[in-house]
Amino acid sequence: MILDVLKPHEPGILKVSSDIAALGENYCVHVTVIELDERTETLKIEVTGDSLDFDLITSVLTEMGASLHSIDEVVAINEKGND
Amino acid sequence: MLKLAKSDHITRRYFVVNGFDGALTMLGLIMGFVFSRPADLDIVINVCLAAAIALGMSGLSSAYASESAERQRALKKLEDAMVCDLSQSAHGKAAKRAPILVSIVNGSAPLLICFFIMIPLWLADADIWQPIEPLYSAILIALLLVFLLGVFLGGISGKWWLRSGIETLVLAVITAILIYALTGW
């Protein structure tokens, strides 16, 4: 999924990406800073992996003081249909 | 948490500033007793302890009030920029906890330094023999602590520790000279 997130400068994107990646064994997190102003920064956070826990990811973002603006992209795969 | 609240450098500063307050206040009090008529050790200890406690409480309360106000103001500005409530986030928690930590450092720095300076007085009160008169020992400890605060400052600024220590020691010696000039004649 790709999330549009607004957050304060601290904590930095290194902590954001590592804390989200720590939520699941195969989570891969790609963070891009889209915009920067005096107090906040807008990020595009791309999280890939199996069975992403959306609630857990948003709670980590909320704890950091970040605000989820929108879910820009989601990929959902029904694995049972591949048999 | 201190980094999030941007209070780590403030805490260091408060430690040094209030450490100086404690050391120089005690230096002044002890020198006042040295240049006055001999006083009971009880009186000296009680006066110094009262001053130490007052300095500690002053540091604690003033730092808490000012840091709390500053952190709440900064949080409000961030909430305005984020257009959301941050009270439950790490920033909100840091805004509540950082002032407590800063005020503890601000209050305990002068208190601990005063206690160290008073050690010879307590030893004398307990009839423990000392090679030097307790009041003069206390003065030497005060000067040593001021030197060590200078060394600490040198570590922060990257300046040579000995030079930094001597600079602050010179300030303490000037204070002592002024006190002698105005009270010791």
Side-chain angles (χ1 to χ4, degrees):
Chain A
M1 65 180 78
I2 296 177
L3 309 175
D4 179 6
V5 168
L6 179 71
K7 76 164 196 63
H9 291 309
E10 292 291 336
I13 61 172
L14 289 175
K15 183 154 171 62
V16 171
S17 56
S18 61
D19 280 9
I20 295 174
L23 295 175
E25 266 188 29
N26 60 348
Y27 278 26
C28 177
V29 183
H30 183 182
V31 179
T32 309
V33 178
I34 304 297
E35 214 175 297
L36 203 66
D37 66 24
E38 192 189 347
R39 291 197 172 86
T40 64
E41 50 198 36
T42 302
L43 309 177
K44 184 179 90 169
I45 299 179
E46 187 178 334
V47 188
T48 54
D50 299 332
S51 303
L52 297 179
D53 189 334
F54 177 72
D55 291 335
L56 208 51
I57 292 170
T58 50
S59 72
V60 165
L61 290 172
T62 305
E63 167 65 22
M64 290 184 188
S67 168
L68 177 65
H69 274 190
S70 60
I71 304 170
D72 288 350
E73 219 172 288
V74 174
V75 175
I77 301 171
N78 182 348
E79 289 183 333
K80 285 179 187 171
N82 290 336
D83 291 342
Chain B
M1 177 189 52
L2 283 179
K3 198 178 167 192
L4 202 57
K6 296 184 172 67
S7 295
D8 47 348
H9 59 286
I10 294 171
T11 310
R12 266 198 307 271
R13 193 185 312 151
Y14 279 177
F15 174 77
V16 174
V17 165
N18 287 283
F20 263 103
D21 278 349
L24 293 184
T25 301
M26 281 291 119
L27 181 68
L29 276 174
I30 304 280
M31 287 187 71
F33 281 115
V34 166
F35 298 132
S36 306
R37 278 191 292 272
D40 282 345
L41 194 56
D42 275 353
I43 294 173
V44 178
I45 289 174
N46 285 340
V47 168
C48 290
L49 194 56
I53 292 167
L55 279 169
M57 285 306 296
S58 169
L60 194 82
S61 53
S62 63
Y64 182 77
S66 61
E67 276 305 299
S68 203
E70 286 293 331
R71 297 283 72 81
Q72 288 303 321
R73 183 170 174 265
L75 185 69
K76 179 79 178 56
K77 280 191 173 180
L78 195 55
E79 283 178 338
D80 288 345
M82 293 286 299
V83 196
C84 69
D85 175 25
L86 291 174
S87 57
Q88 298 308 309
S89 72
H91 296 82
K93 289 171 194 166
K96 285 180 193 149
R97 291 175 195 166
I100 294 171
L101 200 60
V102 169
S103 66
I104 288 171
V105 169
N106 204 40
S108 61
L111 195 65
L112 287 172
I113 283 184
C114 289
F115 283 173
F116 273 118
I117 294 169
M118 288 177 66
I119 286 173
L121 306 178
W122 280 318
L123 290 176
D125 195 43
D127 288 326
I128 294 171
W129 177 83
Q130 297 171 69
I132 306 170
E133 277 277 320
L135 289 179
Y136 293 112
S137 294
I139 290 172
L140 289 173
I141 290 174
L143 294 174
L144 175 64
L145 288 172
V146 168
F147 173 79
L148 290 174
L149 281 170
V151 169
F152 178 67
L153 277 175
I156 294 169
S157 64
K159 208 191 269 189
W160 186 32
W161 64 269
L162 185 60
R163 179 182 166 171
S164 191
I166 288 172
E167 280 173 356
T168 52
L169 185 60
V170 164
L171 287 170
V173 168
I174 290 171
T175 306
I177 291 169
L178 278 170
I179 293 169
Y180 175 71
L182 295 169
T183 65
W185 283 114

